[in-house]
Amino acid sequence: MMQLPIEWLLVIVVGLLIALLVMTVYMMIGRARENRRQVVTTAYLERNQEDWYDYLCVDGIPREELIPKNTAELKALEELFRSLVHNIKSEEIDKRISAFANRCLGNFYRDALRKGNWGERVNALSRIRDFGIDSLAKECREMLARKTVSKEEFFLLLLIDMKFNPETFSERHIGNLDKLSSKDTKELLFSMSDLLFDQIVETIDHLPARTQYAVVDVIGMKLNASRSDKLEQLFSSSDNELRIRILRAFNLLERLPADEVLIAAIESDRWQERLQAARLFHLLPAHSAVEYSKILADDEHYLIREEIRRYLAQPAFEVQVDNEAVSSLRE
Amino acid sequence: MMPFIETAMQVFAYLIIGYMAIVIISYSIMFVLSFQTLRKERSLDRREMDSRFVDAFYSKPVTILVPAYNEESGVVATIHSLLNLDYPQTELIIIDDGSKDGTAAAVIKQFDMTVSEKSGNPTLSTKPILGIYRSNVHPNLWLIKKENGGKGDALNVGINYARYSYFCTIDGDSILDGNSLLRVMKPVIASDGKVIAAGGNVRIVNGLDVEYGTVSEMKLSGRPFVVMQIVEYLRAFLMGRIALSKYNLVLIISGAFSVFSKKHVIQAGGYNVTTIGEDMEMVVKLQRMLKENKLDGRIEFVADPVCWTEAPQTLSVLRKQRRRWHQGLLESLWAHRKMTFNPKYGAVGMISVPYFWIVECLGPLIELAGYMYIIAAFFVGGIYYEYSVFLILLFVLYGTVFSMGAVLLESWSLGTYPKISALFRMMLLTLTEVIWYRPLTLIWRVEGLFRSMLRISSWGEMERVGATDSKGAVK
């Protein structure tokens, strides 16, 4: 009969239980420390409330007392800057935050970027971008050149590089956009200055399909109708997905495309194109809208029929066209 | 003792010990994998991520489906919590599955609803619809009244009428944190749709302060019985699902809170209306469909978005719930038994499905046999003392040590219960788990196993207390 290693198992179980109990005590101490840190953080903010107001909103002269002396005060400062950057739009405040952050937080985030913990590195990158810490631009570019960065880090590093080196961003990174998710590509393109974005729009024909989709989406999101000619030009593409997105961009821009584009969309085999076209009808003169609605009123797809029905149900519509035509369509 | 019985006792002891060793090794691997994931994300400021995903331009609109059957006491609070979500575009559909209480009336009255029309695409066949209502206060809030057909049927109705490409299922008695939907949708958005389903973390609401559908204060329930369920949830969600999700091996995401790609669910045939565990069955079906059609899709579990749900407060209700869960588990595994150890289904067929069969489904039977063995061995005496002591130690290792580990892992990484006393109480109670709570749940799960084999099927209604009253105020 096999001898059971009871003693060994007993040692393992007791050892693990003791280790867990020690960790419990450690966690409890950690919680108590965290509570103390909260007290220090609150005290720092309360103590320096007026001086911060003076620095950020009045004279821009940083007092020595404002410089954080420990991690708890540094965290307090981080919170303060974060809430200002996310909630107040003021170039002057942003400049002062950037000046103070470059002076007092630069080393802290430099250390964080070198840490092995992914979460801390991502936090540091977000803050470098939010607080405009350009003294770390070089470190960030070096990091971007590494192949080991995660997707989140890569995206934030691109945002940082775009913020600190916008002149050469397009030529250096145009080929990198395909590595991002479509959401990240759109966010990056949307954050671009108009000048930089126009450079990208000009090169759209040479971009991979996924990036083209994002560029078209962002043209709509930016609500700047000056790029609608480019959209019309792109509509000749055989890529159905691109055509659907172009029509959606026209919808966002609240702008009618050229007649041939609209008619091509109404007659498209793809229901998504027909739906986007139907959503543009409210921009047409009422009589043209009725004519086009006749084509789509009995469409095979229920969403298109629904769209037409909703459009025709608008009370303002009835005034503009003869009731008979509308009534027959409604039926 | 007769040599035959002696041999049988020894073989049986080794069988149980061998099984326990497999389970302990599996749990240890999962614990390490979960620890790695949580350590990576522990310091992350999630608010930054939230703010990047909250913009309507980048997110995807979601239809929230709330199937409700006799949820009069909790459904209003659930709706309040869903109306308060930080998500740019949602449509909320409550599906009253032929409730016998005043579920529909409470919703109609509270949210000023009138009869309305809603366009839909009835691809999935369901029980007849009795009426559609729309709120005059919240135009994105709908109520669909239908004949009783079970939760799966109610969800299928919701899918037929869902306007958006993704839908989120929430139980009628559950409450979501404001940022939960945003966080559970994050992998879907970030993966460009490769993630076809994602499930969030489910926690127990009993004992917490809830006001108008929002958890206002984190307090640990005073009832040991409820605390043990909290520990059990932590163990199941934080250890098991994180680890399985890392390698796309997830077979369960809770029906209480999960999002799905509508297109894929319809392609898979919608929810099964005859099985008890329709949520697990759907996930297994999706995994199967992905492999059979060679699609590049993933199903993920996300640890930080939290859904608060009401846990049973009495033994009889808990018994019915566990019985039902186990029946659902067996039914889902049986329906897709073809996947077991089938290399065609990749790691899901070779690792995940066998794990669920051996550890989750048949485990209670073997574990319960282990408990009975311990009792028998003490009566028989002699050499069998040794076996029983060994088994007791394995039970402590398997039950108490992993539960304590899960509590610590949660407290260290997410810290849901901020008070030191709460952590202390949870740790103390886990020390007692193996002597009362674990055997009880094992008996009920084995009961579920037999009921499933005997094809006894009943939902086992849970009497709801409701986290809040009908106005959403604290009870």
Side-chain angles (χ1 to χ4, degrees):
Chain A
M1 194 173 62
M2 204 169 75
Q3 185 66 38
L4 290 172
I6 292 183
E7 287 83 10
W8 276 102
L9 188 60
L10 188 66
V11 169
I12 291 170
V13 171
V14 172
L16 281 171
L17 283 174
I18 290 171
L20 287 167
L21 287 172
V22 169
M23 279 178 69
T24 310
V25 174
Y26 171 76
M27 299 268 297
M28 286 173 175
I29 295 169
R31 288 271 171 95
R33 268 194 200 150
E34 183 61 24
N35 291 343
R36 269 205 306 279
R37 195 178 70 79
Q38 282 294 334
V39 174
V40 175
T41 302
T42 315
Y44 170 84
L45 288 173
E46 280 175 5
R47 196 171 63 235
N48 297 307
Q49 209 171 355
E50 282 181 22
D51 285 346
W52 272 118
Y53 179 78
D54 288 343
Y55 172 65
L56 292 168
C57 304
V58 184
D59 53 20
I61 303 164
R63 281 103 180 134
E64 278 304 305
E65 306 83 70
L66 295 182
I67 296 171
K69 291 169 191 65
N70 50 47
T71 319
E73 290 190 354
L74 205 133
K75 290 280 170 198
L77 185 58
E78 202 175 47
E79 276 307 297
L80 175 74
F81 283 179
R82 192 184 170 278
S83 62
L84 286 169
V85 166
H86 284 273
N87 298 303
I88 294 175
K89 200 164 173 63
S90 157
E91 271 189 33
E92 199 53 44
I93 290 179
D94 287 350
K95 263 188 208 163
R96 288 174 187 177
I97 286 175
S98 172
F100 199 92
N102 268 305
R103 184 181 160 196
C104 300
L105 300 176
N107 285 336
F108 176 70
Y109 291 127
R110 186 175 286 115
D111 290 345
L113 288 182
R114 288 179 191 143
K115 279 190 181 158
N117 187 289
W118 172 83
E120 284 184 45
R121 286 200 309 272
V122 171
N123 289 347
L125 290 171
S126 299
R127 309 286 189 249
I128 290 169
R129 183 204 170 208
D130 286 351
F131 305 160
I133 308 178
D134 50 8
S135 59
L136 295 177
K138 188 170 157 263
E139 279 84 349
C140 290
R141 279 186 77 168
E142 283 168 7
M143 210 171 151
L144 192 55
R146 276 184 233 150
K147 284 184 178 163
T148 50
V149 290
S150 67
K151 278 182 183 174
E152 288 81 2
E153 287 169 291
F154 182 66
F155 171 67
L156 287 166
L157 284 164
L158 283 182
L159 283 175
I160 290 168
D161 201 34
M162 189 173 77
K163 184 167 187 163
F164 298 143
N165 308 294
E167 302 80 14
T168 53
F169 181 83
S170 172
E171 61 186 80
R172 280 183 295 117
H173 295 300
I174 192 99
N176 281 333
L177 298 183
D178 199 33
K179 293 177 191 164
L180 298 171
S181 70
S182 102
K183 182 238 161 235
D184 284 349
T185 313
K186 282 195 260 181
E187 194 178 339
L188 187 85
L189 292 169
F190 193 72
S191 321
M192 280 178 181
S193 64
D194 279 348
L195 189 72
L196 191 52
F197 183 61
D198 283 333
Q199 285 176 19
I200 305 273
V201 173
E202 281 314 308
T203 59
I204 193 167
D205 297 328
H206 308 291
L207 296 175
R210 247 162 48 90
T211 316
Q212 283 187 349
Y213 301 157
V215 172
V216 168
D217 285 347
V218 174
I219 290 177
M221 285 158 64
K222 285 205 173 231
L223 302 177
N224 183 344
S226 66
R227 298 180 189 104
S228 51
D229 291 349
K230 186 75 189 173
L231 289 176
E232 282 174 0
Q233 201 184 314
L234 285 168
F235 196 76
S236 57
S237 163
S238 57
D239 182 344
N240 285 309
E241 182 63 35
L242 188 69
R243 288 156 60 101
I244 293 164
R245 285 171 192 255
I246 288 168
L247 292 165
R248 207 163 58 194
F250 275 111
N251 263 305
L252 282 171
L253 293 169
E254 293 261 308
R255 197 178 165 93
L256 270 176
D259 280 353
E260 58 269 28
V261 170
L262 189 63
I263 291 166
I266 290 168
E267 291 170 352
S268 168
D269 293 340
R270 295 264 166 168
W271 69 265
Q272 293 96 331
E273 277 188 47
R274 299 197 301 274
L275 178 66
Q276 291 301 332
R279 286 182 177 160
L280 286 165
F281 286 178
H282 72 281
L283 300 168
L284 285 165
H287 286 282
S288 312
V290 170
E291 287 307 309
Y292 287 136
S293 295
K294 279 179 190 167
I295 304 171
L296 294 180
D298 296 320
D299 196 276
E300 61 188 40
H301 201 280
Y302 78 101
L303 278 176
I304 297 166
R305 295 194 304 271
E306 173 75 9
E307 185 65 36
I308 298 292
R309 202 176 60 189
R310 197 166 35 225
Y311 170 59
L312 294 173
Q314 293 174 86
F317 189 76
E318 233 165 277
V319 184
Q320 297 173 47
V321 288
D322 74 285
N323 287 339
E324 209 177 313
V326 177
S327 307
S328 70
L329 266 176
R330 278 179 187 167
E331 276 161 25
Chain B
M1 207 194 297
M2 286 194 304
F4 168 73
I5 297 179
E6 258 182 47
T7 313
M9 286 284 279
Q10 280 176 23
V11 169
F12 193 45
Y14 285 123
L15 192 76
I16 297 168
I17 290 168
Y19 166 79
M20 295 298 285
I22 291 172
V23 175
I24 288 168
I25 291 167
S26 310
Y27 277 16
S28 302
I29 293 169
M30 289 203 283
F31 190 86
V32 172
L33 291 173
S34 301
F35 173 72
Q36 282 176 344
T37 307
L38 290 170
R39 188 181 60 173
K40 183 184 165 195
E41 293 173 4
R42 184 181 166 236
S43 327
L44 184 70
D45 187 345
R46 289 184 168 82
R47 295 170 305 172
E48 293 293 339
M49 287 287 172
D50 290 349
S51 64
R52 280 182 44 205
F53 281 82
V54 79
D55 200 314
F57 283 127
Y58 311 126
S59 64
K60 292 179 189 293
V62 178
T63 296
I64 301 170
L65 303 180
V66 186
Y69 178 70
N70 293 348
E71 304 280 4
E72 186 184 359
S73 63
V75 71
V76 170
T78 301
I79 297 172
H80 275 299
S81 98
L82 298 174
L83 289 169
N84 287 330
L85 288 176
D86 293 331
Y87 200 84
Q89 209 177 352
T90 58
E91 172 194 51
L92 179 52
I93 304 177
I94 317 297
I95 307 112
D96 178 30
D97 188 31
S99 295
K100 291 174 195 152
D101 66 356
T103 301
V107 177
I108 290 168
K109 188 181 167 211
Q110 184 71 27
F111 299 99
D112 184 20
M113 290 187 145
T114 44
V115 176
S116 184
E117 273 184 40
K118 182 164 179 33
S119 58
N121 190 19
T123 324
L124 307 167
S125 60
T126 63
K127 293 268 181 183
I129 287 160
L130 305 173
I132 299 180
Y133 301 80
R134 187 179 196 175
S135 169
N136 295 313
V137 190
H138 305 280
N140 61 333
L141 172 62
W142 299 82
L143 169 74
I144 300 178
K145 278 178 78 173
K146 64 177 279 288
E147 277 182 17
N148 182 264
K151 192 176 166 187
D153 192 62
L155 286 167
N156 285 341
V157 166
I159 293 167
N160 282 343
Y161 282 89
R163 186 176 164 200
Y164 300 128
S165 308
Y166 287 88
F167 69 88
C168 174
T169 62
I170 311 274
D171 278 355
D173 61 337
S174 300
I175 285 169
L176 284 192
D177 277 350
N179 49 25
S180 290
L181 185 57
L182 201 63
R183 289 181 179 179
V184 83
M185 278 298 287
K186 196 192 138 213
V188 176
I189 298 165
S191 69
D192 288 339
K194 270 189 187 158
V195 172
I196 61 161
N201 211 334
V202 178
R203 299 278 176 85
I204 290 171
V205 76
N206 306 47
L208 302 184
D209 277 349
V210 178
E211 206 168 347
Y212 284 96
T214 305
V215 176
S216 55
E217 196 187 345
M218 297 295 171
K219 287 194 299 191
L220 193 64
S221 168
R223 298 179 181 214
F225 189 52
V226 174
V227 176
M228 276 323 303
Q229 291 181 70
I230 292 172
V231 173
E232 209 183 8
Y233 272 57
L234 291 182
R235 192 174 146 144
F237 280 88
L238 281 190
M239 267 177 55
R241 296 193 191 176
I242 289 180
L244 292 171
S245 175
K246 208 169 175 175
Y247 299 101
N248 196 18
L249 295 173
V250 171
L251 286 192
I252 300 182
I253 48 176
S254 173
F257 176 38
S258 34
V259 288
F260 293 92
S261 149
K262 188 169 79 174
K263 180 178 82 179
H264 288 93
V265 169
I266 291 174
Q267 196 183 341
Y271 281 90
N272 188 325
V273 294
T274 53
T275 183
I276 288 178
E278 75 298 317
D279 46 359
M280 177 175 181
E281 206 275 335
M282 171 51 72
V283 178
V284 182
K285 199 153 62 177
L286 284 174
Q287 287 280 24
R288 186 173 173 172
M289 188 195 77
L290 287 175
K291 302 291 178 212
E292 285 177 353
N293 295 304
K294 296 189 170 50
L295 299 174
D296 182 19
R298 284 182 62 82
I299 297 172
E300 286 200 0
F301 168 74
V302 201
D304 52 338
V306 172
C307 165
W308 299 95
T309 193
E310 198 182 325
Q313 306 238 46
T314 63
L315 279 175
S316 67
V317 179
L318 184 67
R319 177 185 168 202
K320 282 178 196 163
Q321 187 197 55
R322 294 310 153 97
R323 217 165 59 183
R324 194 179 70 227
W325 283 2
H326 215 77
Q327 271 184 266
L329 173 73
L330 182 59
E331 282 178 18
S332 301
L333 289 174
W334 186 250
H336 300 279
R337 57 190 179 280
K338 187 186 164 193
M339 294 171 79
T340 315
F341 288 120
N342 188 340
K344 186 182 161 190
Y345 297 97
V348 173
M350 297 303 287
I351 300 170
S352 204
V353 178
Y355 165 81
F356 274 88
W357 269 116
I358 297 165
V359 178
E360 300 291 341
C361 186
L362 301 174
L365 200 63
I366 303 169
E367 242 188 282
L368 194 65
Y371 271 97
M372 286 157 72
Y373 187 93
I374 290 169
I375 296 165
F378 272 101
F379 283 110
V380 177
I383 183 74
Y384 302 105
Y385 275 131
E386 221 173 290
Y387 287 122
S388 60
V389 169
F390 197 79
L391 272 177
I392 289 170
L393 286 173
L394 284 177
F395 279 137
V396 171
L397 183 62
Y398 163 75
T400 307
V401 171
F402 281 111
S403 292
M404 285 175 88
V407 171
L408 281 178
L409 198 61
E410 197 281 339
S411 180
W412 174 73
S413 58
L414 301 168
T416 307
Y417 301 96
K419 286 190 179 163
I420 292 173
S421 57
L423 173 64
F424 189 66
R425 258 182 357 101
M426 277 198 279
M427 293 300 278
L428 269 186
L429 270 168
T430 52
L431 286 171
T432 67
E433 183 185 346
V434 282
I435 47 176
W436 65 285
Y437 187 77
R438 187 99 192 153
L440 275 179
T441 53
L442 286 175
I443 293 167
W444 298 330
R445 287 164 72 188
V446 169
E447 213 184 320
L449 207 62
F450 285 116
R451 281 170 70 90
S452 192
M453 286 191 281
L454 296 170
R455 299 186 185 280
I456 303 168
S457 171
S458 79
W459 186 254
E461 288 163 34
M462 171 167 155
E463 193 184 319
R464 305 286 180 192
V465 179
T468 60
D469 66 20
S470 60
K471 287 177 187 163
V474 183
K475 229 175 190 179

